[in-house]
Amino acid sequence: MSEDFNLPVGPFHPLLEEAEYFKITLDGEKVKEIEMETGWMHRAIEKLSESNTFDQTIFLVERICGICSASHPFACVNALEDIGNVEIPLRARYIRSLIGEMERIHSHLLWLGLAGHFIGYDTLWMWAWKYREPILEVIELITGNRNHYGVFRIGGVRKDYDISLNTRVNEVMDMLEKKLSMVAKAAMDDPVLKSRLCGVGILTKEDAINYCATGPTARASGVAIDVRKDEPYAAYDLLDFDIIVREEGDVFAKTVVRILEMLESIKMVRQIIERLRKISGPIYNDVAEIPAGEGIGRHEAPRGEVFHYIRSDGSNRPIRHKIRAPSYVNIPTYEVSCPGMNLSDVMITLASVDPCYCCTERSVKLFDSKGTEIAQNLLELSQRKTDRLIDELGESELWKLL
Amino acid sequence: MGVYNRILKKSLWVFHMSASPCNNCDIEVLDLLTPGYDLERFGIKLVGSIRHADVLLITGMGGCKISERVVRLYNQAPKPVFVVAVGTCPIGGATFKDSYSRCGPLDKLIPVNLYIPGCPPKPEAMIEGLLKLLGRLD
């Protein structure tokens, strides 16, 4: 006879670089159930956004996540431009796509390294992060900062791309393409790696659709969705690229999707910097004001689709700003991909959707009909209800019911 | 303290704590360990347990839920322990200073020895900061 065992992981755990808490229910070494508690990283961004002006909001949403720090402002400016029907100059559209793709490369390399670290393949970690460094250097040359680029503005971009950087960007892309093929060969043909990743954490196509998974998580399960193709924005309708789809749905498929996506991104960066040579013109259109109305903005972030909804009443601040980050829908897929696996495979499955807990954090506040806040502690709430019932019925009446 | 400091200077063990950050400083801290910056050449090493740590590297604005844990972890650390606040968030709150879920700044919760400002601080700045800490041990 076996007994269930609860294994708490976190909030501060050597393997989690963010603070997060998982409760894993085990039967022997097999995982039966997995639960997650959020709220450790909650920063009240949607509320803060309501007290900031539109220009400040773009800077604020950039700080939702430090890894995909171009994706949130990208979706946010898309939403704001949707409200005001703002036209963007062609040059700005290309620069936006350039930054989006650069970010995808560095984010996927970061994931590849961490995934290697999680399965005890530290060489892959060091390799991947070594090749990520030149990308960050190029991003710094283009935008002025390694992360948190601060280049997005309503109607265009803040900083122009300098054509003289083309040689350096091309150099880095050549180097990266060579090294990536090397890493891809080393990782994809390695028998140890294959046996660790193949058939682990399988997410079927049905489950991917049921859980509304996005990004590489969905594409590795055979669901061909990509906002860049489905609903092109910025310069993506002018670029030539493919969506990478795999059918298997396991961790290995997710790895392959990400590696091949990086090669696609390199292809796109090359096209963009070549075309920027010929396109001249302004990098932004002046936008006097955002009219009253509501708008949505989407962007295919490295982890999946980012969705922003903004409602404006004609003033200079949003009155409602709703954000849905890709990890918010990808993380619940643990419920179907983890049970039945060995405990030692859980970590890589958790990492395989490239979770970003900072993007995901939500908090719930409950108010009663009078508008006073109900205590956050549900246990206390429940105990108080019992007390109230006893008071109403009288203790002797309750005894009679028994 | 003389002998202790001399030994500590050669091998500073660091525990990294994230108190509601945006992930950026955390990634830059991890970046320090990789070949580009290679912090281990100074004998500085990231450890998995607070009980092994000589330095606490704390990032983030200090959300109310996590603050309690930060104080608890600080109390568990063997003393003397140096607390380093990485990034603008633990120092002044940056863009989150008006957030309802903020219990920071960090020095209101626990004593801080060193501040490394920046959003995020560049890895060079972090190395500079940690070397200042090593220099203080002389």
Side-chain angles (χ1 to χ4, degrees):
Chain A
M1 198 197 117
S2 62
E3 264 181 40
D4 286 353
F5 177 76
N6 279 336
L7 179 76
V9 178
F12 288 109
H13 190 268
L15 274 178
L16 303 169
E17 140 258 325
E18 295 161 79
E20 210 49 54
Y21 177 78
F22 291 101
K23 194 173 102 186
I24 305 173
T25 311
L26 292 167
D27 179 7
E29 231 186 281
K30 291 262 181 278
V31 178
K32 273 180 81 176
E33 222 184 320
I34 184 161
E35 266 180 53
M36 181 181 150
E37 188 188 326
T38 62
W40 307 101
M41 315 283 241
H42 184 69
R43 276 158 297 150
I45 298 213
E46 289 181 9
K47 188 73 192 165
L48 279 178
S49 168
E50 289 166 20
S51 56
N52 282 346
T53 62
F54 287 122
D55 275 336
Q56 289 169 333
T57 297
I58 298 167
F59 279 87
L60 176 72
V61 295
E62 194 159 33
R63 276 146 186 84
I64 290 176
C65 175
I67 308 172
C68 44
S69 49
S71 54
H72 283 285
F74 208 142
C76 184
V77 290
N78 278 348
L80 289 169
E81 281 154 9
D82 186 30
I83 301 176
N85 283 326
V86 182
E87 278 295 315
I88 321 155
L90 188 61
R91 194 172 167 82
R93 282 166 64 191
Y94 272 111
I95 294 174
R96 281 184 184 185
S97 290
L98 174 69
I99 293 166
E101 290 318 305
M102 286 282 198
E103 184 196 62
R104 195 179 316 279
I105 301 171
H106 101 70
S107 178
H108 281 350
L109 270 175
L110 181 146
W111 178 84
L112 192 66
L114 283 183
H117 174 58
F118 287 146
I119 56 169
Y121 195 8
D122 274 353
T123 316
L124 186 60
W125 180 28
M126 293 298 165
W127 272 358
W129 284 52
K130 189 172 126 194
Y131 304 138
R132 182 174 163 260
E133 230 19 72
I135 290 283
L136 289 180
E137 180 213 313
V138 166
I139 291 177
E140 193 178 357
L141 283 174
I142 296 173
T143 67
N145 206 356
R146 283 162 60 90
N147 319 72
H148 289 334
Y149 318 116
V151 285
F152 290 91
R153 60 170 285 170
I154 307 164
V157 288
R158 279 176 199 277
K159 201 164 185 293
D160 202 356
Y161 175 77
D162 187 357
I163 296 296
S164 61
L165 294 176
N166 269 13
T167 16
R168 180 71 189 133
V169 178
N170 267 328
E171 246 173 57
V172 170
M173 290 300 139
D174 287 343
M175 182 280 293
L176 204 68
E177 197 171 18
K178 226 165 68 195
K179 298 294 180 189
L180 260 182
S181 338
M182 191 261 292
V183 170
K185 254 188 228 148
M188 282 147 92
D189 296 338
D190 191 329
V192 180
L193 219 57
K194 259 191 175 165
S195 59
R196 274 307 305 275
L197 303 181
C198 282
V200 169
I202 295 178
L203 181 72
T204 58
K205 191 173 179 179
E206 291 74 47
D207 282 334
I209 293 169
N210 285 344
Y211 279 81
C212 305
T214 59
T217 312
R219 289 198 284 274
S221 298
V223 186
I225 47 166
D226 192 322
V227 188
R228 291 174 294 171
K229 276 268 191 233
D230 301 342
E231 208 179 281
Y233 53 95
Y236 287 116
D237 49 344
L238 307 167
L239 295 171
D240 169 38
F241 66 100
D242 297 320
I243 308 180
I244 313 289
V245 183
R246 301 284 279 208
E247 301 295 329
E248 298 90 345
D250 55 3
V251 181
F252 190 71
K254 287 175 187 141
T255 315
V256 173
V257 165
R258 291 209 172 89
I259 290 178
L260 295 180
E261 255 178 31
M262 271 189 268
L263 294 172
E264 286 298 314
S265 290
I266 292 174
K267 208 168 88 186
M268 267 190 266
V269 168
R270 285 214 180 105
Q271 290 173 33
I272 293 169
I273 55 170
E274 214 36 64
R275 285 186 205 174
L276 276 175
R277 207 191 280 274
K278 293 175 203 116
I279 299 162
S280 55
I283 51 166
Y284 61 84
N285 285 340
D286 267 327
V287 179
E289 62 174 3
I290 301 288
E294 48 185 19
I296 58 163
R298 300 157 82 192
H299 168 61
E300 184 74 21
R303 288 160 184 75
E305 180 194 332
V306 176
F307 176 88
H308 278 237
Y309 164 85
I310 297 175
R311 198 189 314 149
S312 151
D313 60 352
S315 67
N316 63 347
R317 283 149 217 267
I319 53 169
R320 176 78 180 106
H321 190 173
K322 162 77 189 152
I323 299 161
R324 198 188 75 162
S327 300
Y328 189 62
V329 284
N330 284 342
I331 286 174
T333 61
Y334 295 161
E335 255 181 23
V336 282
S337 58
C338 281
M341 280 196 322
N342 260 339
L343 182 60
S344 51
D345 289 333
V346 166
M347 204 61 228
I348 185 66
T349 314
L350 295 189
S352 71
V353 305
D354 200 356
C356 177
Y357 302 113
C358 293
C359 296
T360 313
E361 293 295 8
R362 296 288 184 277
S363 86
V364 176
K365 263 194 178 180
L366 301 171
F367 293 95
D368 65 8
S369 53
K370 286 172 206 145
T372 46
E373 193 187 338
I374 300 171
Q376 288 180 335
N377 191 340
L378 287 177
L379 180 70
E380 197 189 317
L381 196 69
S382 159
Q383 286 167 347
R384 259 197 273 147
K385 186 173 180 185
T386 318
D387 290 346
R388 209 171 54 237
L389 278 176
I390 295 172
D391 283 348
E392 278 169 15
L393 289 171
E395 215 157 336
S396 53
E397 289 295 313
L398 277 174
W399 281 111
K400 274 180 209 161
L401 286 175
L402 290 171
Chain B
M1 286 295 280
V3 181
Y4 183 81
N5 277 357
R6 214 166 60 233
I7 298 168
L8 199 61
K9 227 183 125 179
K10 295 274 159 58
S11 70
L12 214 53
W13 283 15
V14 174
F15 182 77
H16 162 235
M17 231 193 273
S18 53
S20 312
C22 72
N23 238 347
N24 208 338
C25 299
D26 310 69
I27 292 296
E28 295 290 71
V29 167
L30 277 187
D31 214 6
L32 289 179
L33 301 175
T34 54
Y37 297 98
D38 194 17
L39 202 60
E40 291 191 9
R41 66 199 146 119
F42 301 113
I44 300 172
K45 197 183 154 198
L46 216 61
V47 291
S49 170
I50 184 77
R51 291 171 202 278
H52 298 158
D54 304 308
V55 178
L56 300 186
L57 224 56
I58 304 186
T59 60
M61 60 142 205
C64 286
K65 193 170 176 181
I66 202 89
S67 294
E68 180 206 335
R69 301 293 179 115
V70 170
V71 175
R72 205 197 287 180
L73 279 178
Y74 175 74
N75 290 335
Q76 285 177 6
K79 308 290 180 309
V81 64
F82 302 101
V83 179
V84 181
V86 179
T88 312
C89 291
I91 300 170
T95 40
F96 310 118
K97 64 178 185 298
D98 298 325
S99 166
Y100 60 72
S101 70
R102 173 169 178 250
C103 285
L106 186 66
D107 43 16
K108 228 168 74 184
L109 307 168
I110 51 176
V112 179
N113 297 81
L114 187 79
Y115 299 91
I116 306 176
C119 186
K122 288 189 75 165
E124 290 91 341
M126 289 194 214
I127 294 175
E128 170 90 29
L130 286 167
L131 288 184
K132 282 238 166 76
L133 193 69
L134 284 177
R136 224 182 263 180
L137 293 174
D138 280 333

